[in-house]
């Protein structure tokens, strides 16, 4: 009974916060009240005029129209940059090459952990990251996007390393989506702060955006490699966007990503957010990469499934 009364009092207090203040005459104590003036004739008194209660502003939107409109293109650019960098330098392990960025970390670890700059044979002691099975995924993929399943391939360490994942490295699990969201914070927080967004406003833009990114990826990527749609218990499910598979957008990103595979993972790094490839000169159009497609060997029975691609319009 006490808890119910407390809830009612809470709602009453919340309602009072949005209610207009009542017009009341202030009560003066006898100590502070001024001396009473002689009563004036009734005719000399001014007529009472009814006053309207002051209008209180309606509660404002959590994210105003201006911020909502500017947040979409800004988040898209940040996601495109992040997608490109992750796909190229982490998943394809280009970070592991002997370039200035890697040498910076070689020097940093040499100072912090006394890590040698050179191997015993004189070669640079590269800092290496594992790409999360993405290189192995490329090795398993034919140019028609189907996945190898022949006996010879199944005996390799690369094939065995993919067996622990039911999506064989093609889908974003909930854990991966969470890691990618955290990965976006170092760029999203300062950029949106400069635009006047608070922390909660930034998260209100970032979290739905990352969910949409995962939904697009999981609808496109596993089926295009002949694998089943993603279930909710694994990651963002494939079904919410399946009705958009035959749109121009999904046709474009399907062909763009197929070109990425055909070219050995050396171009077309953007998948869901095309932009950065065009800015950095790593975009290759379909008319160019299609000439480099190789014939697909073996019968269909030696594949994990038939690729699902957008139907041609018209």
């Amino acid at each position: 009974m006490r808890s119910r009364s407390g809830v009612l009092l809470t709602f009453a207090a919340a309602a009072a916060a949005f209610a207009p203040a009542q017009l009341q005459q202030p009560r003066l104590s006898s100590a502070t009240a001024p001396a009473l003036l002689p009563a004036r004739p009734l005719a000399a008194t001014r007529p009472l005029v009814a006053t309207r209660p002051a209008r209180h502003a309606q509660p404002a939107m959590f994210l105003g129209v201006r911020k909502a409109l500017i947040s979409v293109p800004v988040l898209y650019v940040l996601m495109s940059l992040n997608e490109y960098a992750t796909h190229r330098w982490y998943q394809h392990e280009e970070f592991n090459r002997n370039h200035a960025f890697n040498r910076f970390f070689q020097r940093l670890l040499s100072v912090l952990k006394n890590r040698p700059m050179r191997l015993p044979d004189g070669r640079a002691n590269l800092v290496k990251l594992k790409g999360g099975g993405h290189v192995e995924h490329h090795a398993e993929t034919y140019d028609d996007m189907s996945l190898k399943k022949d006996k010879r391939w199944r005996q390799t360490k690369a094939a065995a390393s993919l067996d622990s994942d039911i999506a064989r490295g093609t889908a974003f699990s909930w854990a991966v989506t969470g890691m990618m969201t955290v990965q976006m914070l170092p760029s999203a927080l300062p950029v949106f702060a400069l635009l006047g967004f608070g922390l909660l406003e930034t998260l209100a833009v970032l979290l739905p955006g990352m969910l949409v990114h995962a939904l697009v990826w999981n609808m496109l990527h596993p089926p295009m490699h002949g694998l089943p749609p993603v279930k909710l218990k694994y990651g963002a499910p494939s079904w919410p966007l399946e009705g958009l598979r035959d749109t121009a957008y999904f046709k474009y990103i399907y062909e763009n990503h197929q070109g990425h595979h055909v070219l050995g993972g050396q171009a077309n790094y953007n998948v869901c957010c095309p932009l950065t490839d065009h800015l950095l000169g790593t975009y290759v159009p379909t008319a160019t990469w299609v000439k480099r497609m190789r014939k697909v060997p073996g019968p269909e029975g030696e594949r994990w499934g038939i690729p699902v691609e957008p139907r041609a319009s018209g």
Side-chain angles (χ1 to χ4, degrees):
M1 193 67 183
R2 289 182 180 178
S3 61
R4 183 178 300 177
S5 300
V7 172
L8 292 175
L9 288 173
T10 302
F11 277 108
F18 289 94
Q22 296 181 354
L23 297 177
Q24 297 180 348
Q25 293 293 336
R27 295 183 179 180
L28 302 177
S29 64
S30 58
T32 58
L36 293 177
L37 298 176
R40 291 192 242 175
L42 185 61
T45 59
R46 295 181 180 179
L48 296 177
V49 179
T51 57
R52 295 180 181 179
R55 291 184 179 180
H56 288 253
Q58 296 295 324
M61 294 173 58
F62 177 71
L63 202 63
V65 175
R66 183 188 69 83
K67 287 186 176 180
L69 291 176
I70 197 174
S71 67
V72 175
V74 171
L75 182 64
Y76 184 90
V77 171
L78 292 176
M79 291 175 70
S80 179
L81 292 168
N82 187 72
E83 182 181 67
Y84 183 97
T86 302
H87 197 178
R88 179 173 183 175
W89 286 294
Y90 168 65
Q91 291 182 298
H92 280 284
E93 302 180 3
E94 289 196 21
F95 173 81
N96 298 350
R97 300 178 183 180
N98 192 19
H99 45 64
F101 193 43
N102 194 289
R103 288 193 293 271
F104 168 78
F105 282 94
Q106 293 176 37
R107 296 188 184 94
L108 183 64
L109 291 175
S110 176
V111 173
L112 297 178
K113 294 190 175 183
N114 199 27
R115 183 178 183 270
M117 292 285 294
R118 295 283 174 181
L119 296 172
D121 60 4
R123 291 180 300 157
N125 190 9
L126 300 177
V127 179
K128 294 186 178 182
L129 300 174
K130 292 184 178 180
H134 194 73
V135 173
E136 292 78 4
H137 161 63
H138 269 256
E140 188 172 69
T141 304
Y142 287 124
D143 281 1
D144 69 346
M145 298 299 97
S146 62
L147 302 180
K148 302 174 186 176
K149 202 179 180 181
D150 59 275
K151 184 177 180 180
R152 181 178 177 182
W153 167 252
R154 297 291 299 142
Q155 292 176 344
T156 64
K157 291 182 179 180
S161 68
L162 295 172
D163 289 343
S164 60
D165 180 9
I166 59 173
R168 304 196 67 77
T170 64
F172 289 164
S173 66
W174 288 119
V176 171
T177 300
M179 287 188 292
M180 292 182 65
T181 302
V182 172
Q183 186 179 323
M184 281 286 295
L185 294 177
S187 58
L189 290 180
V191 169
F192 278 99
L194 289 173
L195 295 174
F197 285 68
L199 176 61
L200 292 181
E201 291 176 320
T202 302
L203 294 178
V205 173
L206 176 63
L207 298 183
M210 296 304 296
L211 177 60
V212 171
H213 184 271
L215 288 168
V216 171
W217 177 277
N218 285 355
M219 194 284 281
L220 170 82
H221 202 224
M224 81 176 289
H225 289 294
L227 294 176
V230 178
K231 304 293 185 182
L232 180 62
K233 63 181 180 181
Y234 179 89
S238 301
W239 66 263
L241 299 183
E242 284 180 344
L244 302 177
R245 189 189 309 278
D246 299 329
T247 61
Y249 166 71
F250 276 100
K251 185 176 188 299
Y252 175 86
I253 63 175
Y254 183 102
E255 292 181 352
N256 187 67
H257 189 60
Q258 184 175 4
H260 171 75
H261 277 273
V262 171
L263 298 174
Q266 300 300 306
N268 296 5
Y269 294 100
N270 280 131
V271 181
C272 304
C273 302
L275 175 65
T276 310
D277 279 303
H278 296 268
L279 298 177
L280 299 184
T282 52
Y283 169 70
V284 177
T286 303
T288 301
W289 63 254
V290 75
K291 299 174 184 178
R292 298 181 56 179
M293 287 188 67
R294 293 152 291 198
K295 292 184 178 180
V296 179
E300 289 185 357
E302 294 182 332
R303 286 163 176 72
W304 286 92
I306 305 300
V308 179
E309 58 183 301
R311 292 192 295 268
S313 59

